[in-house]
Amino acid sequence: MTKIIFYLTVFILLFMSKIYAQKSFESQVKSISSEIENITKEEKSALKIEVEAVNVELENGIITKEDAEAKKQKLAETRAKNIENRVAIEQQKLENLVQQKVDGKIKVTDSTHTSYAFYFPAMKIKNKNDKTEKRTTSQFVLAFGVNNLVTNKAVANSDFYYWQSHFFEWGFTENTRILKNHNLLHLKYGFSVMYNNICPTDNRYFVPAPNSQTNLEVFPYELEDSRFKNVYLVAPLHLEFDFSGKKSNHGNSSFSSHKGVRFGIGGYGGFRIKSKQKMYYNIDDDKIRIKTKGDFNANDFIYGVSTYLGYKETSLYLKYDLNPLFENNAIDQNNISLGVRWDFN
């Protein structure tokens, strides 16, 4: 475990060394998050028009009430699927952007240019040079890093690869200063989508058993890749200590968040959206790709504790699930994640 933390610390320091490229990275993240919001609005508007058309058919006696309800249900399902597919594309852009950040391919923007900040849920663009900050501000959250399972209170000798197993998270938060005339204490709350991946070692994969347990078994062919992904929608809640302090300008005092050292501690709770297992292997010259969706006897709900420590937007981030990944397994295995987190104000 010590070795993992050491390598991850080196990994994070490499990111910190490229902090001057943050403006370009931040602007692209904001553009993608804005597109996600636009996708939802477009699909909801289209659904509203389609539902109104169905109502007109019902009023004119063209279709029955039962047919109208069935038609509306189908339209809603189609639009929901459209949102999922289109947002998945934007999610891939986010992952690619993070990889470019890691590879140092994002250029630094001119520091003399005016910078802007992204605000949710109003989705307004606000000049960041404005020194007045409201008591409640909004952030777009992006995080990723390594992921694994704690078995018998340890991560050592894990059944899963350390570096291939990873997590990814994005979401929106509201940050409220608790005290009117002091900047130290903040309440941070919102929602996030979490993607937890684990990659079994020794050519194994997960198999749901008849006794409602989920076991690791050896695959009959040589696997190029085997990974198990769970996606969750959660509501995080943190008490944040912000040491940005108070600024004085021409006799007027003002507070700013995310300008100095920050420390947050709290937790999260939510539910599982889906589970999927992917296996890649070859038979002679044929490349076989298997993707299996199901519940795999995984817990439908998730709750845990999390903390972060950082400077300005960038933090070291740790989260741990208090409930086990699988509902009925004889040995509890709890998910743990460690990585880098950005809170774009």
Side-chain angles (χ1 to χ4, degrees):
M1 186 64 183
T2 303
K3 185 178 292 186
I4 296 173
I5 296 175
F6 170 77
Y7 284 125
L8 187 60
T9 303
V10 174
F11 171 74
I12 292 167
L13 289 175
L14 290 175
F15 270 95
M16 295 296 290
S17 67
K18 298 176 182 177
I19 193 67
Y20 294 108
Q22 193 67 48
K23 289 184 180 179
S24 175
F25 178 66
E26 180 179 347
S27 63
Q28 292 180 67
V29 169
K30 291 170 185 173
S31 176
I32 294 173
S33 58
S34 179
E35 182 61 25
I36 292 175
E37 177 68 14
N38 290 336
I39 287 170
T40 305
K41 289 181 178 179
E42 288 175 7
E43 294 295 336
K44 286 183 177 180
S45 297
L47 177 60
K48 183 178 180 180
I49 295 173
E50 292 170 343
V51 169
E52 289 175 353
V54 173
N55 289 334
V56 171
E57 291 180 350
L58 178 61
E59 292 173 0
N60 294 334
I62 299 175
I63 58 176
T64 64
K65 183 177 180 180
E66 291 74 15
D67 290 338
E69 292 301 323
K71 207 169 184 179
K72 290 178 184 179
Q73 180 66 27
K74 187 175 181 180
L75 290 171
E77 291 174 355
T78 300
R79 290 299 171 183
K81 188 64 176 178
N82 288 350
I83 292 175
E84 181 182 353
N85 292 337
R86 294 177 66 186
V87 168
I89 295 174
E90 299 305 316
Q91 177 201 334
Q92 186 61 51
K93 290 181 182 179
L94 271 175
E95 293 180 358
N96 293 339
L97 183 62
V98 169
Q99 188 60 51
Q100 291 178 30
K101 172 73 174 174
V102 175
D103 296 339
K105 296 179 180 179
I106 298 178
K107 297 180 180 180
V108 181
T109 56
D110 189 346
S111 61
T112 60
H113 291 173
T114 302
S115 58
Y116 294 90
F118 178 76
Y119 284 81
F120 179 84
M123 298 298 171
K124 296 179 180 178
I125 299 297
K126 181 178 179 181
N127 192 322
K128 202 174 181 180
N129 292 328
D130 184 0
K131 300 300 182 182
T132 303
E133 183 175 281
K134 293 182 179 180
R135 192 165 175 177
T136 296
T137 58
S138 303
Q139 295 81 38
F140 176 72
V141 177
L142 178 65
F144 74 96
V146 294
N147 193 68
N148 218 290
L149 296 184
V150 174
T151 307
N152 293 326
K153 301 181 180 181
V155 185
N157 303 315
S158 174
D159 290 325
F160 310 95
Y161 289 110
Y162 292 114
W163 293 112
Q164 289 91 327
S165 303
H166 61 272
F167 83 95
F168 182 79
E169 178 182 343
W170 66 268
F172 297 94
T173 60
E174 297 287 306
N175 186 14
T176 300
R177 177 162 40 89
I178 296 175
L179 303 177
K180 183 178 181 180
N181 297 314
H182 203 286
N183 199 41
L184 179 62
L185 297 179
H186 293 248
L187 189 64
K188 201 173 181 73
Y189 49 94
F191 77 89
S192 289
V193 181
M194 291 181 177
Y195 305 79
N196 293 337
N197 287 272
I198 48 177
C199 299
T201 59
D202 301 326
N203 207 63
R204 292 177 294 177
Y205 72 117
F206 282 108
V207 179
N211 59 358
S212 298
Q213 295 192 19
T214 302
N215 304 320
L216 276 177
E217 296 185 7
V218 178
F219 195 68
Y221 300 98
E222 184 68 26
L223 288 169
E224 287 186 1
D225 189 17
S226 173
R227 60 183 58 247
F228 181 55
K229 178 173 73 174
N230 289 280
V231 184
Y232 303 92
L233 179 63
V234 301
L237 177 66
H238 292 93
L239 178 64
E240 182 174 282
F241 299 84
D242 193 323
F243 298 93
S244 299
K246 180 170 63 175
K247 293 184 178 181
S248 179
N249 186 21
H250 302 292
N252 297 322
S253 297
S254 63
F255 298 102
S256 296
S257 61
H258 298 76
K259 300 297 182 182
V261 175
R262 296 182 301 113
F263 169 69
I265 185 169
Y268 52 89
F271 58 91
R272 181 172 56 88
I273 299 175
K274 65 179 178 180
S275 298
K276 181 189 293 186
Q277 182 166 237
K278 297 180 181 180
M279 292 182 291
Y280 300 164
Y281 61 98
N282 299 325
I283 298 180
D284 297 329
D285 294 330
D286 296 326
K287 295 182 179 295
I288 311 298
R289 304 291 183 264
I290 298 178
K291 298 180 181 180
T292 307
K293 292 182 180 180
D295 61 17
F296 287 87
N297 302 314
N299 267 307
D300 291 328
F301 298 97
I302 182 177
Y303 57 92
V305 292
S306 55
T307 184
Y308 53 89
L309 174 64
Y311 178 69
K312 293 186 176 180
E313 292 94 349
T314 309
S315 302
L316 180 65
Y317 183 39
L318 174 67
K319 61 186 181 76
Y320 175 71
D321 293 352
L322 293 176
N323 63 323
L325 173 59
F326 298 109
E327 189 171 7
N328 299 311
N329 278 15
I331 298 176
D332 289 343
Q333 293 180 297
N334 300 58
N335 197 88
I336 187 170
S337 307
L338 181 62
V340 184
R341 167 181 171 136
W342 288 274
D343 293 72
F344 298 111
N345 211 3

